[in-house]
Every structure is written in structure tokens, then in C-alpha cells.
């Protein structure tokens, strides 16, 4: 069997992703009155991000059209793997995570 | 009143230095003993009287205050050798890795240092905060060779929980806490910032303990048992261990004992100090009491469900609350809660006396504490709080003046919060109006049971009394029961009719239900709508016959028009809508019930009912409450006249029906045997992706399921609407047709994990069968009905299937409870902002529009943004008129 190359953007479940221009990015930050680091994040290594060629520091606009109220818009700030590692709690096992136990 | 010893202005976290520990200590503890033979605290022991008082009557030897006033005072232990503080072990490891073993500097060259220091100065955003920069700097340093002194590269290994090694080449050297401390001491203060230590309050070497604080005795009081035997707190036990080992270690060192012995004792001291801080450290066997019980040390006091945080800080016992059993009262409003009079006279509301309520307050005070509605305390203008007794009540009433605060007893109409655990959603706490009643239970309207998930088999509920005007009005406006009829979860009513209200509505509104004028007048009188919804003049004509539909429409809003299929709809091939010959299509036009029977589809709680939600959404919560209150009272009044009961004869089936059922089951049994024969003879064809056994099993399961359904179908033909059990099932009041056919015809296949029963004994499910018997009967098919009764083997099979259900629910509740806790912790401070975005408390955006569609489910149509059918219907109705 030969491997077929699949473009994941063609899948109907993958919503539309676009990279915002500098002005558009600023507009969004202004509209919500936040700095870029308050936006939801997405990894540079995300399959869709790789395909559309967004780089760390970009803001991506995601438009989903399956919402009951028509289109819903979402923005994500692209980060690199290194930033992700910095954000991660250095040891998950140290977070005191009680078992459900007697509850 | 409680005295506030100190007002907390701010909190600064840091590490205690040995000097700090000595400075706050009132005593160096050197004796491991607690009390002497006379029961007197030993000087310089762990119970020394300078550490605070725990006996009433004694005075503190440090501050001279009495028990309860003295907060207790710290002591300290001088450790013979330093030990690692387990809580800091990981930080020590990270620091050791990144600093030079010789010069103590961070292993970064000048340019790298400058970059990181520059970043620290401007560290503000979430993606590059101080912690992340420090982590990056330390990670980088850990990989370097020291650029300052060129010391050789040796790596540090950390063995949990508190052992450090240094490795180079093949060699390996253990670092004692002394070595560790020395290295940490070597680190210059200029480096502190880059290793994440705040130089104002901490030094890294303080993470290795040389002095141990001894908490005051008030923190670890001993308790005297009935037999006058003293029992010490777990912390004291642990401290005794520490002092003992510490002493032996010191003696051995002083006597010049061999290195090996000293090291063993040192290790033991480390163990005791470790378990003193945290007795559930992984890799350390927990310290135990003599009885074998695991000791509860500092960490155990704080963490977990019974810890300080979850049981004393996040949740505590509160005043102005009550708890008792709940019982039903269909005659109070859904907004009300019946409060026993003895509860009402205990709970109080502070009410300020004004010119407008002076007389009223005087009257209340004159009632005193023992006559409801009375008052228990007054607070005078000078701030003095006085108890009202039967003797003083008249004097207090005389003295009462504007500005006083009267703590009056709970009375009718007060707003209270009512709660039933587990409080899984916001409707588990709602605001009710008080109705004071005799007897000892809280009374609850049955329509409000679903959101609380309450029943009356002994359930208890809590009541809380808001103490300020703001709290009361807020509760009354947004938490009132009537404001929560529509669920914020799925946009359907969670408060509404259930059980008899549903079957009663059917009995009242079905075709042919007729009532005399006298009966109807009585019903309306009983449901408190006579003269409000319908005037007495409507009953002038005594011979007039009312239909149930005529009665029902009295309670509807006068301009309501709505059409829907009733629950009893037979789902005919071609729906006749308004012309339905079974009267199963409801037509309400301008407040008149023209056609159709009212049942579950109209106003049942927790269903997408079509009438109640229209009233609430179209006419408001007040109208919704009024409708529910009156319709439920009307229905019970009617159902008491009509009668509704169920019995075993509701599932009786004539002989001929039973014969047909037997035949169906017999045939199925034969088919199963044929399949088994085919399997044995190797003639069975394998299904793709399945083994031969699976194929056989699936075929048998399908065959038997079909047989049960057919048997049920036959039974259903005889189960007509004359039988009350069927009315309940078909209207959605209680049960379903499957339950009834299981009673009347055949139970069907019992399963465990979706498979026919086969385990339990070797190659068979029960010892009554031959090994390897695959027949229907031997693998858990129950062909009897509940009415007939089960054979012994069937009974066992039934209980096996039932057990799985019980285990499943038990496991599910435990798991969902844990998930709920995690979700609540993650979501508790998310908030919808003015721009409709959802943000957390550090202003991070979670959603750009609430729910990504901005829809408030409680204002939606069954979860959808708009109800197109309803809008079209309303528009058409407008056009016609
Ligand atoms: Mg119960
Ligand atoms: Zn004291
Ligand atoms: Zn160096
Ligand atoms: Zn129909």
C-alpha cells in the first residue's frame, strides 16, 4: 500500500486558521484590552500551525462554523516548544493530587 | 468578644534562619521526656511550661497569661549534625547542579549573566515571568563548566527523598548535609537573584537545618483519657524521637565513636526530621505509633479532605444555619420552605429600628424569646448587646429607640438559602421564603425536588439565613426558586411536575373526564384559585358539566397559544396533528385547551416539556410559579376524586396471551439450540472479525433479544390505558413500558459486562448445569416474568446482573465526585466580563465569547439559540388575529 499524503486542512473538522497581520493583531489586542501573553496559546509544532507556516509570536485567527450561533471566532498566540517547557510545572508528581479515596 | 492580638497587614514568605529560630525560641529543649511520675511537666522537656499552657487554671511561665489567652511560645532543638529539609530537597538539588563546586558562582559567563539579569529586570508577561527566567538560567548553568575558575566537571545526582551524590568518571561520592550546606554557603549574595532566592528574607544554606523549631504545646496539646492516662499528640511523639536520636548522636560524636555508627545515627536523625515534616514522603517508610497507626505529622495536618485547608479554611461550620429532615408539603408554594417553629425561634435576623418600624419592633421584643415571632437580643446605640428574657422583655421594649438593632426571630416571608448536598450545581442552593410551621421537619414543595435531587426517605437539608439587607435582596432576586425554573444547563425546566402530577393531569384532561359544577368548585377552592382565576359566578349553574380540559385552561395565561404532541402520542405513520383521533395532539389557543391531553410533555421536570417553559419564557417567572403552584394543587384535588392506584393485576395477561409468549420463547430456545448444534457440527459460518465463539454468542444474544422484544410486544397489546400502571408509564409519570413488559411477559437476558453470564464455576455459570452448556437457560436468560416469579437459577442470574449495576453506580459516583472537584478547582474563578469574553482572575482570556456562541442556556430554547417553530407559530397566530 502506498502512503497517501493527506492535507489536513481539507478535513471538514479542521476549522479555518489564518495568520493575522501586525495591524490585525494589534487591533485584536486593543479590542480585548490585553497584552499578547493573555491570549490562549497554540504550539508552533501544532500540525495546522506548521502547514500555514505561522511562527512563534504570531497570532492565529480560528473560525469555527459549527457553532449554534453561526460562526465563532477564536484567537491563539503561537509559542515555541521552549516557552511551553518553561510554562510547564517542572514535576507533575509533586502536585499533591489526592486519590479519590474515601470520598 | 474575641480579642485580635495582631492585625495582619501583609504576608512575606521566606526561609527561617537558624538565628531567627533561636530568637523566637523561649527555650532550648534538651530532654525527650514529657511528664515526671507525678504528672508534672519536666523542665526543658517537650511539655515545659514556658512553651504555653494547655491546662485551664494554670498560667504561662513566659507571658503570664491564662489558658486560651496565651498563644503558646516556640522552643528549639540544636541538631548535633545538620539535616536536609525534605521540603527543600528538590530546590537544593537544582541549586547544587547549577553552581560551581569550588567558587560557588553560577556557572554562566559574564555575557550570559547579563542577558538573564536584563530579562529579570523587565520580567512582566506570563510567557516569560521570573520563575521561567530563573529556570532557564539554572538549566543553562547546569550544563556548563565553571567559566570563572575552570573547576572540573562533576555531576550531581539526587536520590529521592534527601540523598545527594557527586559523580565524575567512574567515581561517586556521597555528599553529607554538611557538604551540601558548605556549598550553599559558598554562593555569593549577588547570585541569589539568578537562582530564585530572595536575598531580603532567605539564604540557600538555610534549606539545610541546623536548628529545629519546637512548636508551642498549644499546637500539640496532650489529651487526658477517661482513665486519667495522658495521651500525647503525634507531633510530640515525633519530637521525642528526634530529641532522643539527636542526643545519642551527640554522645557518640563526643565519645569519638566509629564513623560508621555516627553515620547510621545521623541517617536516623534525618529520617525522623523528614517524617516529622511529612510522614507520607515517597521512598521513606512512614513512622508509626506503638499501636501500628501511622503518625499524622505537619504535612498531614494540612493536606487532604480532613486537612486544615479543605476542612477549616475552604469550608467551615457556620452560625445562622439549621439542618433537619425534609418532608413534602404540596400546599406550600415552590418558592417557600416550611421551617419548624423551634428552628425559627433560634435563628435571628438583625433589624435596625427606624421611625417606620419602631412600633412593630416593640411588639416583637415584647413577645420575648419564647413566643414566636419574638426577639432574642437587642444591640443598643452604645453598642451593648443585651439578651432578652421573659423578665426583661417589657423593659427592653420600653427602652427601644431608633438606631437600636433588634435580633428578631425568623418569621414568614424572610429569605433563606436552602441547600442539599452534594452541591453539584448552582441549583443545589436556592433562596426560599420562610413559612413557619409546627413539627420538626423542613417542608418542601414537590416540584423543587428535582434540582436538589431530594426525596423523603430520610434526606436532610441545610438552611442558611443571610444577615444583611444586600445579601437578602441579592438572594431574593437571583437565587429565588422561581428564577431557576429553567435550567442553566440545558434550557429546559428542572422544576416542574413529577409522578402523580403527571398521571393526575392525564386523568383530569383525557377525553371523557367530566366533573360536576360542585366538584369543580371544590377543586378550585382547594387549589386557592377560586375568585382569583375563576369567579364563584361560574358555578351558578349547578347542573353544568365541566370537562377536565375546561378546568385546566382556567390556569393558563389568557393569550397563550401553543401546539405540541403529547407524551402519550402513538407516533403514527402519518400524524394528523390537530385531528389526532387519539387526542394526543395538544392545541392551546388564546388560553383555551381545545384538543389534546396534558401529560409529561406539557410540564414534567427535567424534560423538554412544551408548556411550562413557554409560560416561564413568555410571561416571566412569577407567572411560571403561579401556574405550577395552582396546577399541582388542582391536580391533587382531582386525582383524589378520580383515584389512581396500581397493583399486580395491572400486569395480568389473559391465558391466550401467555400461551403466545410461551410459544415465542420456546421457538427462540429451539433456535438457540440449532445454532449450538451448528457450531458443534462445524457448520456455523464465522462473522468477519470475530472468532467462532463470538459469532455464536452474538447470534444467540440477537435471537434472545428479539424473542424478549416480541414477547414484550405481545404483552403490550393487552396492556391498555385502563391499567393505571400503564397510564403512569405512557404519560411519563413513572416507569416505562419495558419495566411493565418485564413484569408481565419476560425479563430477558441477564448480562455482566455486556456478555451472557458464563463465569462463576468451571465452564459453567451455576452448578445446576452441565459443564459447557451454552443453552439460553444455562447462560442467564430469564424467561419468567416478575409476576410469575423466578426459578431458583433465574433468581441467581438476576442477582448477578443486579450486582453489576450496584457496583457500577458506586464506582461512578466516586469517580464523578473526584472529577467534579478537579473541574470546580479549575473553573471556579472564571468570569464573563463586560465584553462577553470569559477570563480567569489574572485576566487570561479563556473564551472570546461566552461558550463560543454567547448563548445563555437558561434563556435558550432547549439548548438552541432560537426556537424557530415557536417564533413561526407565534407570528402565524398574530397574522390570523
Ligand atoms: Mg433519599
Ligand atoms: Zn504564654
Ligand atoms: Zn568556579
Ligand atoms: Zn398522533
Amino acid at each position: 500500500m502506498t502512503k497517501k499524503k493527506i492535507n489536513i486542512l481539507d478535513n471538514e473538522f479542521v476549522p479555518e486558521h489564518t495568520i493575522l497581520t501586525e495591524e490585525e493583531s494589534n487591533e485584536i489586542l486593543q479590542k480585548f484590552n490585553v497584552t499578547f501573553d493573555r491570549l490562549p496559546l497554540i504550539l508552533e509544532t501544532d500540525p495546522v500551525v506548521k502547514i500555514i507556516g505561522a511562527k512563534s509570536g504570531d497570532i492565529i485567527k480560528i473560525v469555527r462554523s459549527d457553532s449554534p450561533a453561526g460562526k465563532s471566532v477564536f484567537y491563539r498566540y503561537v509559542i515555541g516548544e521552549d516557552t511551553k517547557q518553561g510554562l510547564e510545572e517542572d514535576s507533575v508528581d509533586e502536585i499533591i493530587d489526592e486519590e479519590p479515596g474515601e470520598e | 468578644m474575641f480579642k485580635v492580638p495582631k492585625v495582619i497587614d501583609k504576608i512575606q514568605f521566606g526561609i527561617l534562619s537558624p538565628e531567627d529560630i533561636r530568637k523566637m525560641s523561649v527555650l532550648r529543649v534538651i530532654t525527650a521526656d514529657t511528664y515526671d511520675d507525678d504528672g508534672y511537666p519536666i523542665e526543658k522537656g517537650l511539655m515545659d511550661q514556658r512553651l504555653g499552657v494547655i491546662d485551664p487554671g494554670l498560667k504561662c511561665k513566659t507571658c503570664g497569661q491564662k489558658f486560651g489567652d496565651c498563644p503558646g511560645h516556640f522552643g528549639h532543638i540544636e541538631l548535633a549534625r545538620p539535616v536536609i529539609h525534605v521540603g527543600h530537597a528538590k530546590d537544593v538539588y537544582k541549586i547544587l547542579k547549577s553552581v560551581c563546586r569550588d567558587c560557588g558562582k553560577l556557572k554562566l559567563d559574564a555575557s550570559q549573566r547579563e542577558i538573564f539579569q536584563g530579562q529579570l529586570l523587565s520580567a512582566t508577561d506570563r510567557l516569560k515571568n521570573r520563575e521561567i527566567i530563573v529556570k532557564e538560567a539554572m538549566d543553562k548553568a547546569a550544563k556548563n563548566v565553571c567559566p570563572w575558575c575552570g573547576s572540573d566537571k562533576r555531576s550531581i545526582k539526587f536520590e529521592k527523598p534527601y540523598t545527594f551524590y557527586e559523580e565524575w568518571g567512574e567515581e561517586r561520592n556521597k555528599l553529607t548535609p554538611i557538604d551540601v550546606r558548605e556549598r550553599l554557603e559558598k554562593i555569593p549574595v549577588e547570585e541569589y537573584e539568578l537562582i530564585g532566592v530572595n536575598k531580603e528574607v532567605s539564604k540557600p544554606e538555610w534549606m539545610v537545618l541546623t536548628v529545629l523549631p519546637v512548636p508551642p504545646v498549644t499546637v500539640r496539646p496532650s489529651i487526658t483519657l477517661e482513665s486519667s492516662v495522658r495521651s500525647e499528640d503525634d507531633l510530640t511523639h515525633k519530637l521525642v524521637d528526634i530529641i532522643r536520636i539527636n542526643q545519642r548522636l551527640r554522645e557518640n560524636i563526643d565519645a569519638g565513636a566509629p564513623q560508621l555508627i555516627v553515620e547510621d545515627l545521623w541517617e536516623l536523625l534525618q529520617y525522623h526530621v523528614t517524617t516529622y515534616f511529612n510522614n507520607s514522603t515517597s521512598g521513606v517508610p512512614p513512622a508509626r505509633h506503638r499501636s501500628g497507626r501511622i503518625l499524622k505529622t505537619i504535612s498531614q495536618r494540612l493536606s487532604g479532605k480532613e486537612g486544615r485547608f479543605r476542612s477549616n479554611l475552604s469550608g467551615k461550620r457556620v452560625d445562622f444555619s439549621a439542618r433537619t429532615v425534609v418532608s413534602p408539603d404540596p400546599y406550600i408554594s415552590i418558592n417557600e420552605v416550611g421551617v419548624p417553629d423551634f428552628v425559627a425561634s433560634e435563628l435571628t435576623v438583625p433589624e435596625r429600628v427606624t421611625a417606620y418600624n419602631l412600633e412593630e419592633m416593640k411588639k416583637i421584643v415584647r413577645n420575648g424569646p419564647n413566643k414566636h415571632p419574638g426577639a432574642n437580643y437587642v444591640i443598643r446605640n452604645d453598642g451593648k448587646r443585651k439578651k432578652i428574657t421573659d423578665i426583661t422583655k417589657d423593659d427592653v421594649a420600653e427602652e427601644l429607640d431608633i438606631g437600636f438593632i433588634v435580633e428578631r426571630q425568623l418569621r414568614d416571608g424572610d429569605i433563606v438559602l436552602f441547600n442539599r448536598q452534594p452541591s453539584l450545581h448552582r441549583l443545589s442552593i436556592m433562596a426560599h421564603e420562610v413559612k413557619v410551621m409546627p413539627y420538626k421537619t423542613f417542608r418542601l414543595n414537590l416540584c423543587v425536588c428535582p434540582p436538589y435531587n431530594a426525596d423523603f426517605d430520610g434526606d436532610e437539608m441545610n438552611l442558611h439565613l443571610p444577615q444583611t439587607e444586600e445579601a437578602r435582596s441579592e438572594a431574593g432576586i437571583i437565587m429565588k426558586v422561581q428564577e431557576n425554573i429553567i435550567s442553566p444547563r440545558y434550557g429546559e425546566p428542572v422544576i416542574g411536575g413529577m409522578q402523580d402530577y403527571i398521571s393526575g393531569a392525564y386523568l383530569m384532561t383525557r377525553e371523557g373526564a367530566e366533573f360536576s359544577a360542585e366538584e369543580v368548585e371544590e377543586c378550585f377552592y382547594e387549589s386557592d384559585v377560586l375568585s382569583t382565576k375563576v369567579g364563584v359566578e361560574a358555578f351558578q349553574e349547578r347542573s353544568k358539566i365541566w370537562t377536565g380540559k375546561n378546568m385546566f385552561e382556567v390556569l393558563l395565561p389568557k393569550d397563550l397559544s401553543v401546539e405540541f404532541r403529547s407524551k402519550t402520542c402513538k407516533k403514527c405513520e402519518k400524524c394528523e396533528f390537530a385531528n389526532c383521533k387519539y387526542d394526543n395532539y395538544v392545541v392551546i389557543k388564546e388560553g383555551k385547551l381545545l384538543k389534546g391531553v396534558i401529560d409529561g410533555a406539557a410540564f414534567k421536570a427535567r424534560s423538554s416539556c412544551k408548556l411550562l417553559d413557554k409560560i416561564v419564557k413568555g410571561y416571566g417567572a412569577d407567572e411560571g410559579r403561579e401556574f405550577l403552584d395552582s396546577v399541582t394543587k388542582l391536580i391533587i384535588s382531582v386525582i383524589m376524586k378520580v383515584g389512581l392506584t396500581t397493583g399486580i393485576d395491572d400486569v395480568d395477561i389473559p391465558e391466550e396471551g401467555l400461551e403466545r409468549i410461551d410459544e415465542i420463547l420456546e421457538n427462540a430456545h429451539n433456535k438457540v439450540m440449532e445454532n449450538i448444534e451448528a457450531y458443534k457440527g462445524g457448520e456455523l459460518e464465522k462473522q468477519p472479525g470475530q472468532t467462532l465463539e463470538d459469532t455464536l454468542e452474538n447470534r444467540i444474544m440477537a435471537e434472545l433479544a428479539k424473542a424478549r422484544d416480541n414477547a414484550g410486544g405481545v404483552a403490550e397489546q393487552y396492556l391498555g390505558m385502563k391499567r393505571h400502571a400503564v397510564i403512569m408509564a405512557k404519560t411519563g409519570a413513572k416507569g416505562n413500558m419495558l419495566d411493565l413488559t418485564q413484569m408481565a411477559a419476560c425479563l430477558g437476558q441477564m448480562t455482566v459486562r455486556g456478555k451472557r453470564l458464563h463465569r462463576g464455576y468451571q465452564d459453567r455459570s451455576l452448578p445446576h448445569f452441565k459443564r459447557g452448556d451454552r443453552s439460553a437457560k444455562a447462560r442467564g436468560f430469564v424467561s419468567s416474568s416478575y409476576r410469575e416469579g423466578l426459578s431458583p437459577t433465574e433468581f441467581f442470574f438476576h442477582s448477578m446482573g443486579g450486582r453489576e449495576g450496584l457496583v457500577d453506580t458506586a464506582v461512578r459516583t466516586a469517580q464523578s465526585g473526584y472529577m467534579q472537584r478537579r473541574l470546580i478547582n479549575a473553573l471556579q474563578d472564571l468570569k464573563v466580563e463586560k465584553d462577553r469574553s470569559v477570563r480567569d482572575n489574572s485576566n487570561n482570556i479563556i473564551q472570546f465569547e461566552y461558550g463560543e456562541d454567547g448563548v445563555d442556556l437558561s434563556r435558550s430554547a432547549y439548548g438552541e439559540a432560537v426556537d424557530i417553530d415557536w417564533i413561526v407559530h407565534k407570528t402565524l397566530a398574530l397574522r390570523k388575529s
Side-chain angles (χ1 to χ4, degrees), chain A residues 32 34 36-40 64 67-69 72 74-75 77 83 86-87 90-91 94 97-98 103, chain B residues 90 94 125-127 132 135 160 304-305 310 818 821-822 835 839 842-846 848 852-853:
Chain A
F32 289 97
V34 285
F36 64 90
D37 60 311
R38 299 292 157 205
L39 295 180
R64 291 188 246 271
S67 145
S72 80
F74 215 81
Y75 301 94
Y77 180 74
T83 319
L87 278 175
D90 42 356
S91 57
E94 263 195 28
D97 213 357
E98 314 134 44
E103 293 183 51
Chain B
K90 195 141 197 182
K94 283 184 206 151
D125 78 65
R126 168 168 73 124
L127 303 175
I132 294 170
K135 189 173 182 288
K160 275 185 180 172
K305 194 169 157 202
R310 271 176 76 186
Y818 184 49
R821 238 188 80 70
R822 306 270 311 245
D835 64 358
R839 304 185 188 210
S842 11
N843 209 31
N844 294 316
I845 297 181
I846 308 298
F848 290 88
E852 301 202 350
D853 55 12

Side-chain angles (χ1 to χ4, degrees), chain B residues 99-105 107 146-151:
Chain B
V99 300
C100 171
R101 63 188 301 272
D102 292 321
C103 66
K105 284 188 180 168
K107 293 186 280 184
C146 178
W148 306 99
C149 69
S151 150

Side-chain angles (χ1 to χ4, degrees), chain B residues 307-417:
Chain B
R308 210 90 312 151
F309 292 101
R310 271 176 76 186
S311 93
N312 302 102
L313 263 10
S314 304
K316 16 167 113 67
R317 284 157 194 275
V318 289
D319 286 339
F320 305 106
S321 61
R323 178 184 174 95
T324 182
V325 173
V326 283
S327 49
D329 188 340
Y331 293 105
I332 63 173
S333 164
I334 57 167
N335 267 344
E336 289 177 318
V337 58
V339 179
D341 42 18
F342 76 98
V343 170
S345 53
E346 197 69 47
L347 294 174
T348 59
V349 189
E351 191 155 333
R352 177 142 257 146
V353 179
T354 64
Y356 308 101
N357 67 3
L358 182 62
E359 281 316 307
E360 186 196 353
M361 284 298 130
K362 276 191 174 165
K363 202 176 142 208
I364 284 174
V365 171
R366 253 181 237 119
N367 277 340
N370 297 321
K371 189 176 164 213
H372 189 86
N376 295 356
Y377 284 94
V378 283
I379 298 168
R380 297 197 309 219
N381 280 332
D382 58 9
K384 261 231 167 94
R385 190 159 174 270
K386 274 184 87 175
K387 194 175 169 69
I388 303 171
T389 63
D390 279 334
I391 303 157
T392 61
K393 60 187 184 191
D394 290 321
D395 298 340
V396 176
E398 244 354 272
E399 192 194 19
L400 211 61
D401 201 1
I402 291 163
F404 279 37
I405 294 169
V406 176
E407 292 190 352
R408 49 152 261 254
Q409 293 173 354
L410 194 64
R411 63 179 180 199
D412 284 7
D414 280 332
I415 298 284
V416 292
L417 302 185

Side-chain angles (χ1 to χ4, degrees), chain B residues 421-673:
Chain B
Q421 281 108 353
S423 314
L424 294 176
H425 58 181
R426 70 177 211 209
L427 306 187
S428 292
I429 304 179
M430 289 188 287
H432 290 247
E433 285 164 17
V434 167
K435 192 160 186 208
V436 180
M437 295 180 156
Y439 310 118
K440 301 205 163 180
T441 57
F442 286 139
R443 249 53 61 80
L444 190 62
N445 184 298
L446 291 113
C447 295
V448 205
C449 288
Y452 289 121
N453 196 15
D455 50 31
F456 305 107
D457 58 3
D459 291 26
E460 291 183 61
M461 284 179 74
N462 309 319
L463 182 138
H464 296 268
L465 180 49
Q467 293 287 299
T468 66
E469 217 56 71
E470 294 107 295
R472 273 193 293 275
S473 42
E474 201 169 276
I477 292 166
I478 59 186
M479 297 174 74
K480 235 340 168 30
V481 173
Q482 67 175 41
E483 306 301 327
N484 290 297
I485 295 176
I486 308 288
S487 163
R489 194 168 88 203
Y490 36 72
E492 294 162 4
V494 254
I495 292 167
M498 55 192 293
Q499 304 203 358
D500 270 7
Y501 291 139
I502 307 296
S503 31
Y506 173 84
L507 293 177
M508 175 168 82
T509 58
R510 70 177 163 180
E511 214 124 82
E514 288 176 339
F515 303 90
S516 70
E518 194 185 335
E519 284 176 317
V520 175
E521 191 175 18
E522 199 175 295
C523 287
F524 281 136
Y525 173 74
E526 283 177 3
S527 36
D528 298 324
V529 289
L530 202 58
S531 85
T532 55
K533 290 272 179 183
V534 59
V536 269
E537 64 283 353
F539 306 99
Q540 290 305 12
E541 198 189 321
R542 300 309 274 181
S543 58
K544 188 190 163 194
I545 296 295
W546 288 61
T547 65
K549 289 187 172 69
N550 292 148
M551 292 171 70
F552 185 82
E553 66 194 17
V554 164
L555 305 176
L556 294 172
K558 291 294 154 257
D559 56 345
L560 177 76
S561 296
V562 57
E563 291 180 17
F564 56 90
R565 281 196 188 84
S566 74
K567 180 89 186 185
T568 38
C569 174
K570 291 191 163 51
K571 312 216 166 59
C572 332
E573 292 270 293
K574 193 179 167 292
C575 188
E576 304 272 335
F577 296 103
N579 301 322
C580 179
K581 53 181 176 288
Y582 307 109
D583 197 33
N584 284 336
Y585 191 80
V586 180
V587 180
I588 294 172
K589 208 167 213 165
E590 270 139 40
K592 297 275 171 236
L593 177 54
L594 302 180
K595 295 226 78 184
V597 65
I598 299 297
D599 58 19
F603 69 113
K604 185 186 171 186
R606 297 179 129 198
S607 72
S608 55
C609 57
K610 298 294 188 299
L611 179 60
L612 177 60
D613 78 300
K614 298 288 179 311
I615 295 175
V616 177
K617 287 169 190 165
Y619 301 85
D622 278 316
E623 185 75 32
R625 182 208 70 227
E626 237 170 74
F627 172 73
L628 264 183
D629 283 346
S630 53
V631 84
T632 50
K633 280 186 277 194
L634 181 65
I635 288 167
I636 27 181
S637 173
V638 168
I639 206 172
M640 281 195 286
K641 291 191 164 57
V642 178
L644 179 86
T645 183
T646 184
I648 197 81
D649 57 352
D650 269 0
V651 290
D652 271 348
I653 288 180
E655 199 57 44
E656 112 194 79
L658 292 176
E659 274 162 21
R660 279 168 66 195
I661 291 168
D662 284 344
E663 195 187 310
I664 290 168
L665 295 176
E666 183 64 36
N667 282 340
H669 189 255
N670 292 338
K671 282 233 180 81
V672 169
M673 290 323 273

